[in-house]
Amino acid sequence: MIHIAKPYITDAEKKAVLEVLDSGMLAQGSRTTELEQQFAEVCGTKYAVATSSGTTALHLAMLAHGIGPDDEVITTSFTFIASVNSIFYVGASPVFVDIEPETFNINPEKIEAAITPKTKAILPVHLYGHPCELDEIMKIAENHGLVVIEDAAQAVGAKYKGKPVGGFGTGVFSLYATKNVMSGEGGMVTTDDDDIAEGVRMLRNHGMKRRYYHEMLGYNFRTSDLHAAIGLAQIMRLGSMTQARKKNAAYLNKHIQGVITPTTKPYVEHVWHQYTVRVEQGADRDAGVKQINDQGVGTGIFYPVPAHKQTYIQKRLGDIHLPITEQLAKEVFSLPVHPLLTSDDLEKIVSAVNALERI
């Protein structure tokens, strides 16, 4: 079976972990600081602050910006649930707008109509590694005095008009095991703002600036040097791993037939966390996925149930209709695009997709 994702682990990661184990300093320390510095350099930001997961990074970014009860955050429903949960964690409410069918990202043309006196922030998600329309989003935010928190969990290294994502608003990244840069588990907040960086540092560590002096209610959302060591080995190979993903995606785009292949806007750098295709409207996506799986090719559906259709969110917010989101949730599925694919793997993926019987 060709797996949909496969962590790219080399001797460098193993050596780095063993060095930390041998050092006896396992908790957050010098390796974490070094990873933060490398991550900030990749994103072109003044600061990067490591956390225990992408979800905790989102949570702390919300808190550091003072988002809380009675506030509203405009975002997309077509995302992993952590994007939305982070809004609920701080007592705020998500306001969903529909997406662009070509990129699966939040449609900036829908944002302004969703702004109310309670709106505090916009949370765009760079889904699958394709950047959102950041010029338009940042302009709307500036005009209305809103915070922008970029959910770049799947988009490390992606660029919008030459500038790395995570450097427009406050950036949030995931270092989960299947991400383009991974540490097993972890997250990162990027910012140029001194106060936001300091706030996230304190919030992740029980509200402390110095040991045992607690200045605010904080959390234990630290990472460890074991995780950071893996992340450091990974980020050193980000360029080559991204190029491999791009090459694989280009091959799939060129050779796949019978499904709708992804669109990339000409002024962005897509990093292909997922290679996501669509079946034609009305086709049986699940039957097609089964046929491909039966040929030994793994797939993923990201995401079969949009956030606004999740039971607990419907109970909170009531019935919401987002026609493009709901349509695409029935049509999308992802194919392997990770750097460890061989030429034989790519041929097998194309063959399995192009052999689809009528669905």
Side-chain angles (χ1 to χ4, degrees), residues 39 49-63 79-87 89 123 125 149-155 170-179 181-190 200 221-223 227:
F39 218 96
V49 184
T51 69
S52 56
S53 71
T55 304
T56 58
L58 280 165
H59 186 179
L60 296 188
M62 293 280 171
L63 289 172
T79 181
F80 182 57
I81 201 64
S83 309
V84 181
N85 282 349
S86 67
I87 300 169
Y89 290 158
L123 178 68
V125 179
I149 298 175
E150 299 174 64
D151 184 338
Q154 301 178 357
T170 295
V172 176
F173 296 83
S174 171
L175 301 178
Y176 180 66
T178 59
K179 294 298 191 290
V181 167
M182 70 91 186
S183 63
E185 183 64 279
M188 197 72 69
V189 178
T190 56
V200 173
F221 286 170
R222 300 182 301 269
T223 190
H227 290 93

Side-chain angles (χ1 to χ4, degrees), residues 7-241:
Y8 191 175
I9 298 171
T10 70
D11 288 343
E13 283 84 355
K14 297 172 186 177
K15 181 175 182 287
V17 169
L18 288 174
E19 286 175 351
V20 173
L21 290 173
D22 288 341
S23 76
M25 300 294 291
L26 309 187
Q28 181 175 287
S30 61
R31 299 303 199 288
T32 301
T33 300
E34 187 178 352
L35 177 60
E36 291 172 334
Q37 292 168 345
Q38 292 293 330
F39 218 96
E41 185 173 330
V42 165
C43 296
T45 56
K46 189 174 180 181
Y47 303 108
V49 184
T51 69
S52 56
S53 71
T55 304
T56 58
L58 280 165
H59 186 179
L60 296 188
M62 293 280 171
L63 289 172
H65 277 287
I67 299 169
D70 295 326
D71 290 333
E72 293 177 348
V73 178
I74 295 172
T75 192
T76 170
S77 176
F78 201 51
T79 181
F80 182 57
I81 201 64
S83 309
V84 181
N85 282 349
S86 67
I87 300 169
F88 285 127
Y89 290 158
V90 299
S93 295
V95 175
F96 298 116
V97 301
D98 221 338
I99 58 177
E100 300 174 328
E102 301 84 10
T103 66
F104 313 107
N105 285 332
I106 192 169
N107 188 339
E109 295 179 3
K110 305 286 187 181
I111 292 175
E112 205 140 22
I115 295 173
T116 75
K118 293 185 176 182
T119 306
K120 186 70 175 284
I122 304 170
L123 178 68
V125 179
H126 305 305
L127 198 67
Y128 306 141
H130 188 298
C132 295
E133 281 293 351
L134 285 163
D135 278 352
E136 295 179 53
I137 291 169
M138 297 305 296
K139 183 177 179 180
I140 293 168
E142 182 179 356
N143 288 344
H144 293 272
L146 304 177
V147 169
V148 174
I149 298 175
E150 299 174 64
D151 184 338
Q154 301 178 357
V156 60
K159 294 180 180 179
Y160 177 82
K161 297 184 179 179
K163 180 177 178 178
V165 302
F168 289 80
T170 295
V172 176
F173 296 83
S174 171
L175 301 178
Y176 180 66
T178 59
K179 294 298 191 290
N180 293 29
V181 167
M182 70 91 186
S183 63
E185 183 64 279
M188 197 72 69
V189 178
T190 56
T191 182
D192 289 325
D193 189 302
D194 296 359
D195 292 335
I196 296 301
E198 183 65 16
V200 173
R201 288 193 198 101
M202 292 175 66
L203 285 162
R204 74 176 174 182
N205 192 27
H206 295 292
M208 292 190 290
K209 275 189 179 179
R210 56 183 179 135
R211 195 170 177 83
Y212 302 130
Y213 289 80
H214 307 273
E215 301 184 28
M216 63 172 72
L217 175 65
Y219 303 83
N220 181 5
F221 286 170
R222 300 182 301 269
T223 190
S224 74
D225 268 17
L226 284 169
H227 290 93
I230 298 171
L232 274 168
Q234 290 267 305
I235 205 165
M236 297 301 182
R237 297 201 311 277
L238 174 60
S240 61
M241 293 193 295

Side-chain angles (χ1 to χ4, degrees), residues 205-313:
N205 192 27
H206 295 292
M208 292 190 290
K209 275 189 179 179
R210 56 183 179 135
R211 195 170 177 83
Y212 302 130
Y213 289 80
H214 307 273
E215 301 184 28
M216 63 172 72
L217 175 65
Y219 303 83
N220 181 5
F221 286 170
R222 300 182 301 269
T223 190
S224 74
D225 268 17
L226 284 169
H227 290 93
I230 298 171
L232 274 168
Q234 290 267 305
I235 205 165
M236 297 301 182
R237 297 201 311 277
L238 174 60
S240 61
M241 293 193 295
T242 300
Q243 286 306 118
R245 287 178 179 273
K246 288 180 179 179
K247 183 178 178 181
N248 293 342
Y251 182 92
L252 297 175
N253 276 341
K254 182 177 180 180
H255 293 94
I256 283 178
Q257 301 171 357
V259 294
I260 303 168
T261 53
T263 297
T264 301
K265 294 187 177 181
Y267 44 83
V268 307
E269 185 170 339
H270 193 331
V271 292
W272 300 103
H273 173 64
Q274 299 291 352
Y275 181 88
T276 301
V277 301
R278 297 165 52 195
V279 299
E280 297 288 347
Q281 189 170 359
D284 188 341
R285 184 265 315 277
D286 295 342
V289 164
K290 184 179 185 305
Q291 289 178 35
I292 293 169
N293 293 162
D294 288 345
Q295 295 299 311
V297 175
T299 56
I301 299 174
F302 311 109
Y303 299 93
V305 182
H308 73 286
K309 292 298 183 183
Q310 298 290 344
T311 301
Y312 82 98
I313 292 179

